[in-house]
Amino acid sequence: MADMDPATTTQTESMMEEEASLFSSLDIILFTLLAGVVLYFVMNRKKPEPIPEFKKLDTPAPTTRETSFIEKMKKTGKNIIVFYGSQTGTGEEFANRLSKDAQRYGMKGMAADPEEYEMGELSRLSEIPNSLAIFCMATYGEGDPTDNAQDFYDWLQENDDEDLSGLNYTVFALGNKTYEHYNAMGKYVDKRLEELGAKRIFDLGLGDDDGNLEEDFVSWREQFWPAVCEHFGVEALGDESSIRQYVVKEHTDINMNKVYTGEIGRLQSFEVQKPPFDAKNPFLAPVTVNRRLNKAGDRHLMHLELDITGSKIRYESGDHVAVFPTNDSALVNKLGQLLGVDLDVVISLNNLDEESNKKHPFPCPTTYRTALTHYLDITQSPRTNVLYELAQYASDPKDQENMRKMASSSPEGKALYQSWVLDSCRSIIHILEDMPSLQPPIDHLCELLPRLQARYYSIASSSKVHPNSIHICAVVVEYKTKTGRTNKGVATNWLKNKLVTDNGHKSTVPMYIRKSQFRLPFKATNPVIMIGPGTGIAPFMGFIQERGWLKQQGKEVGETVMYFGCRHKNEDYLYQEELEEAEKTGVLTELNVAFSRDQEHKVYVQHHLKKNKENIWKLVNSENAHIYICGDARNMAKDVQAAFYEITEELGGMTRTQATDYVKKLMTKGRYSQDVWS
C-alpha cells in the first residue's frame, strides 16, 4: 500500500499526505451530516404525524388461531376431526360425510384440510376429551400424496421424535388396484402414526376405485361407528334424519359485480388476470388450434393448443395441464325444468357452523345456473349418501324405500345400487327423470352434489420448442348406457367445442400446470424407450420435440425409441407425419407401430417389445436406458410390465421372482416411469 513505501519518503511528503487524508475524512463526515439533515427534513415533511394504522402492530397477528385446529375444536366444542388428502374431491366428500355422522352419535365433528392447519398439533389432541382424528387419504399417481397432503406427508417423514401417544386415530384410504402402489398414502399414514405412538381404534379401510369405492367406504363406515361407540362408551342417538350443513339465502337486491360467474377463487379473476396461476387461480388460455387427429372412424381424437403468452406459466415435458370444464347448458336447463325452478335466482349457501373454514360449498353469491354449470358435477352417478338424503323428497313410498335401500349396506341394497345406478350410468338427471315423484328442493340438491373437478391431461409439447403454447391430445368420450341414453364426457366434449373463434370471440380454457415426476433423463445421452398407445402418446410428443431440440443445440443424444399402438393405420395413427419426420431426421432412432385391428389377430405394443427383446435388453441392461409408459393402467400397463418381466427372465437368465425384483429396482431408481389412468 502507499503509506508503506521505503523510508526515503520525506517528512514533508508525509505531512502533506496526512493533511490530505484528514481533509478528505472531514469532507466525508460533513457531506454525510448534510445528507442526513436533508433526508430527515424530507421524511418529516412526508410524515408529519404518526399513521393510525401502526397501532395494529400492538396486537399479535392471528396466525396461531388460523392454523390451530386444537383451538378451533375447543372453541366450537368439537371432538372429532376428519383430515382429508384429496385430489379429485372424493376424499374431501368422504371426510364431510364422516364429520356429519358424528352428530348422530352425540359427538361433534369437523372436516379439515391438512394444508390449512399446523399438523404438529396432533400430539395435543389428547387435551380434548374423547377426541379422535380420522384420516381420509387418497393416493395420487405412482403412490404419491395428493397436493394438499404433501406437507403432512413430509412432516410425518421428518419427525421421528414426535410423541403421538395421546392420539386416537383411524384411516380410510382411497386408491385404485390397477396402479402399482395401491393405496400407498393411506397405508403409510396408518403405519407411521402407529410408529409415532398413536392408538389405532379401528382397522385401516381400503377403498378401490377400480371396483366400487362407494361400497368399500359404506361397508367400512358401517363397522367403524359401532367401534367408536364401544371405544368411547357412547350410544347412537337413533336420529337418522337428514342433517343440513348449509342454509340458503336468496339475494333479491345485490350488485351483480359481487356475484360469482364461474371464477374458481377470487371474484372477477377471469376479467382481471393476475399471476401466479394455480388451482385456485387458473389462467384463461386462448385456444389457437383445435383439430381432429384421426382420419376416419367413429371416435373423435383431437389436438388442442393453448396460448400461455404473458402468463409467466412455465412447464416441462411430462407435466400435466389441468383444465376446468363446464357442464353442457342443455343438461343444466333440463335439471331446472325437472325441478321447476328459476335457475337465475342469486343465492348463497351459508354454512350453519359459523366457525367453519368452509363458509360455502362453492363460490357464493352466485346463481343456481352458474353453480350447476361451473361448480357442481351433475353427470356422475350420485353416491349413496345423496340418495339417502334425497329419499325424504319422494312422494311415492316405493321410491323412498328403494332409495333408502340403495343407501344401506344390505346385500340387496348394494346389488340394487350397483345395477340401477352404477351399471346403468344414471346421473342425478336420469334419476329425477325415472322417479317423477322425487322433487327435492334445489338448494339441498346443490349442497349434496360433489364439486366439478379439474381434469388432467399429459402435455403433448415441449417448452423448449413451444414456450408459449401447451398442447393437449385427447379422445372425446361418448357412449350408450343400458337405459338407451347417450352419455358424454364433460371435459372432452367441452374441449371439442372450444373453437378457435366463437362468434368473433377467442375461446378460452381455464387452466394451470401440475408438476409431474414423469421426466426425461438428466443426461441426454441416456437412451429412452417410450411406450404409449392411443392418446398415451401425448407426453412422448413433448419428449421427441425436446430430444430434437437438444440435437439442434449440438448436444449428444442417446437412442430415442418409440412404441406406439392404434387400431387402424388409415384411421387413428396419431401424429403420423410428425413421427415419421422425426424418424427420417434421426430424432427417433426407432419407430415401432402396432396396428391392433389391421389383421386377423390382434397386435399390441407388448408384442413389438417381445419381438425386439434383444435390443430392449441391451438398452436397459447395458446402456442405462429409461423406460416410459403412458396410457391405460388396467390392461396395457400391466401387459407391458409382464413383457419386461419375460424379457428380463429370458435374456437376463433370471427366475420370475428375480426378474420382478429387477424391474422393481428400475422403478425405484426412476428408470421405469408410468403416467397411467384407468
Side-chain angles (χ1 to χ4, degrees), residues 450-509:
R451 281 291 295 267
L452 184 60
Q453 299 293 327
R455 282 10 184 216
Y456 299 94
Y457 296 94
S458 301
I459 297 175
S461 54
S462 164
S463 59
K464 299 285 193 296
V465 181
H466 300 283
N468 294 314
S469 180
I470 284 171
H471 301 182
I472 294 174
C473 166
V475 59
V476 175
V477 176
E478 189 172 318
Y479 58 94
K480 279 267 190 217
T481 73
K482 288 183 177 179
T483 62
R485 295 177 168 102
T486 299
N487 278 3
K488 294 182 176 184
V490 176
T492 54
N493 281 276
W494 170 76
L495 284 171
K496 179 188 173 185
N497 294 317
K498 285 285 175 185
L499 307 176
V500 175
T501 52
D502 193 3
N503 292 328
H505 298 286
K506 282 185 177 178
S507 288
T508 56
V509 170

Side-chain angles (χ1 to χ4, degrees), residues 27 51 53 60 194 210 277 305 329 338 346 353 431 469 492 528 593 619:
D27 217 25
I51 296 171
E53 280 78 6
E194 184 182 45
D210 186 47
F277 297 104
E305 297 183 13
S329 59
L338 286 165
V346 179
D353 178 2
I431 288 170
S469 180
T492 54
V528 298
V593 187
L619 291 173

Side-chain angles (χ1 to χ4, degrees), residues 215 218-219 222 404-414:
E215 186 178 310
V218 169
S219 298
E222 291 276 327
R404 291 216 166 98
K405 189 188 288 179
M406 285 189 282
S408 75
S409 59
S410 71
E412 189 188 355
K414 285 179 180 178

Side-chain angles (χ1 to χ4, degrees), residues 494-536:
W494 170 76
L495 284 171
K496 179 188 173 185
N497 294 317
K498 285 285 175 185
L499 307 176
V500 175
T501 52
D502 193 3
N503 292 328
H505 298 286
K506 282 185 177 178
S507 288
T508 56
V509 170
M511 52 72 67
Y512 70 96
I513 298 298
R514 188 182 193 279
K515 293 294 175 188
S516 164
Q517 300 301 314
F518 203 69
R519 288 277 183 267
L520 277 168
F522 180 71
K523 288 183 180 174
T525 51
N526 285 121
V528 298
I529 301 166
M530 304 172 290
I531 303 143
T535 55

Side-chain angles (χ1 to χ4, degrees), residues 301-316:
L301 293 113
M302 57 189 171
H303 171 89
L304 282 93
E305 297 183 13
L306 309 179
D307 186 3
I308 55 168
T309 305
S311 66
K312 297 185 178 173
I313 289 173
R314 300 285 177 266
Y315 74 95
E316 290 182 60

Side-chain angles (χ1 to χ4, degrees), residues 313-383:
I313 289 173
R314 300 285 177 266
Y315 74 95
E316 290 182 60
S317 301
D319 282 343
H320 298 135
V321 57
V323 303
F324 288 92
T326 59
N327 288 310
D328 185 343
S329 59
L331 294 178
V332 173
N333 289 333
K334 180 74 177 170
L335 199 45
Q337 288 164 13
L338 286 165
L339 297 173
V341 294
D342 177 2
L343 294 176
D344 296 309
V345 173
V346 179
I347 56 106
S348 287
L349 279 180
N350 300 321
N351 202 320
L352 289 163
D353 178 2
E354 291 179 3
E355 295 298 324
S356 173
N357 277 16
K358 194 171 185 178
K359 302 298 179 192
H360 317 283
F362 44 78
C364 289
T366 191
T367 63
Y368 285 123
R369 184 180 304 282
T370 299
L372 294 169
T373 303
H374 293 272
Y375 301 137
L376 297 170
D377 194 329
I378 62 173
T379 61
Q380 74 163 249
S381 295
R383 298 197 186 278

Side-chain angles (χ1 to χ4, degrees), residues 13-122:
E13 285 173 331
S14 291
M15 286 171 67
M16 284 173 68
E17 278 180 16
E18 281 174 26
E19 210 170 286
S21 174
L22 181 64
F23 182 78
S24 60
S25 297
L26 283 168
D27 217 25
I28 290 163
I29 291 163
L30 285 168
F31 181 82
T32 305
L33 281 169
L34 184 63
V37 169
V38 171
L39 187 64
Y40 178 80
F41 179 73
V42 170
M43 293 296 283
N44 268 358
R45 283 190 63 186
K46 287 198 175 186
K47 295 193 290 184
E49 59 186 45
I51 296 171
E53 280 78 6
F54 274 40
K55 288 177 183 175
K56 288 180 182 175
L57 294 175
D58 296 341
T59 54
T63 49
T64 310
R65 180 59 54 89
E66 287 170 1
T67 61
S68 173
F69 64 84
I70 296 293
E71 297 309 317
K72 178 166 276 195
M73 289 174 77
K74 285 178 177 178
K75 186 179 175 184
T76 55
K78 306 275 171 63
N79 64 329
I80 291 181
I81 185 161
V82 194
F83 292 105
Y84 57 85
S86 186
Q87 197 71 27
T88 63
T90 310
E92 182 179 0
E93 191 188 325
F94 286 0
N96 282 322
R97 284 162 71 174
L98 289 167
S99 68
K100 279 172 78 174
D101 281 346
Q103 202 169 319
R104 296 194 170 102
Y105 299 91
M107 305 181 199
K108 288 186 79 177
M110 64 177 270
D113 183 343
E115 198 171 36
E116 294 179 3
Y117 292 101
E118 179 51 62
M119 296 306 285
E121 286 195 332
L122 281 173

Side-chain angles (χ1 to χ4, degrees), residues 183-395:
N183 269 323
M185 182 59 181
K187 289 173 182 174
Y188 175 75
V189 171
D190 180 61
K191 173 173 154 286
R192 188 68 177 135
L193 290 173
E194 184 182 45
E195 286 172 356
L196 296 174
K199 182 178 181 182
R200 183 191 298 106
I201 69 157
F202 189 66
D203 295 339
L204 167 69
L206 296 175
D208 178 18
D209 203 26
D210 186 47
N212 186 333
L213 185 60
E214 175 70 12
E215 186 178 310
D216 294 338
F217 176 69
V218 169
S219 298
W220 177 85
R221 177 171 159 250
E222 291 276 327
Q223 298 169 64
F224 165 68
W225 283 113
V228 171
C229 290
E230 187 181 341
H231 182 85
F232 292 117
V234 296
E235 287 183 20
L237 300 178
D239 179 17
E240 289 296 310
S241 61
S242 170
I243 300 168
R244 290 294 300 265
Q245 192 176 348
Y246 298 93
V247 63
V248 68
K249 179 186 177 183
E250 287 192 10
H251 303 278
T252 50
D253 184 21
I254 189 170
N255 181 346
M256 292 309 283
N257 288 330
K258 299 266 181 10
V259 177
Y260 282 87
T261 57
E263 304 95 325
I264 307 302
R266 179 173 51 86
L267 189 67
Q268 297 183 328
S269 62
F270 287 165
E271 290 173 33
V272 183
Q273 293 260 278
K274 293 177 185 172
F277 297 104
D278 54 29
K280 291 175 183 168
N281 181 37
F283 175 66
L284 282 182
V287 177
T288 55
V289 173
N290 186 347
R291 63 183 170 91
R292 184 169 177 158
L293 277 173
N294 51 321
K295 302 177 184 75
D298 298 332
R299 298 183 305 158
H300 183 100
L301 293 113
M302 57 189 171
H303 171 89
L304 282 93
E305 297 183 13
L306 309 179
D307 186 3
I308 55 168
T309 305
S311 66
K312 297 185 178 173
I313 289 173
R314 300 285 177 266
Y315 74 95
E316 290 182 60
S317 301
D319 282 343
H320 298 135
V321 57
V323 303
F324 288 92
T326 59
N327 288 310
D328 185 343
S329 59
L331 294 178
V332 173
N333 289 333
K334 180 74 177 170
L335 199 45
Q337 288 164 13
L338 286 165
L339 297 173
V341 294
D342 177 2
L343 294 176
D344 296 309
V345 173
V346 179
I347 56 106
S348 287
L349 279 180
N350 300 321
N351 202 320
L352 289 163
D353 178 2
E354 291 179 3
E355 295 298 324
S356 173
N357 277 16
K358 194 171 185 178
K359 302 298 179 192
H360 317 283
F362 44 78
C364 289
T366 191
T367 63
Y368 285 123
R369 184 180 304 282
T370 299
L372 294 169
T373 303
H374 293 272
Y375 301 137
L376 297 170
D377 194 329
I378 62 173
T379 61
Q380 74 163 249
S381 295
R383 298 197 186 278
T384 56
N385 67 303
V386 177
L387 300 181
Y388 180 84
E389 298 231 13
L390 294 182
Q392 62 186 304
Y393 303 115
S395 55

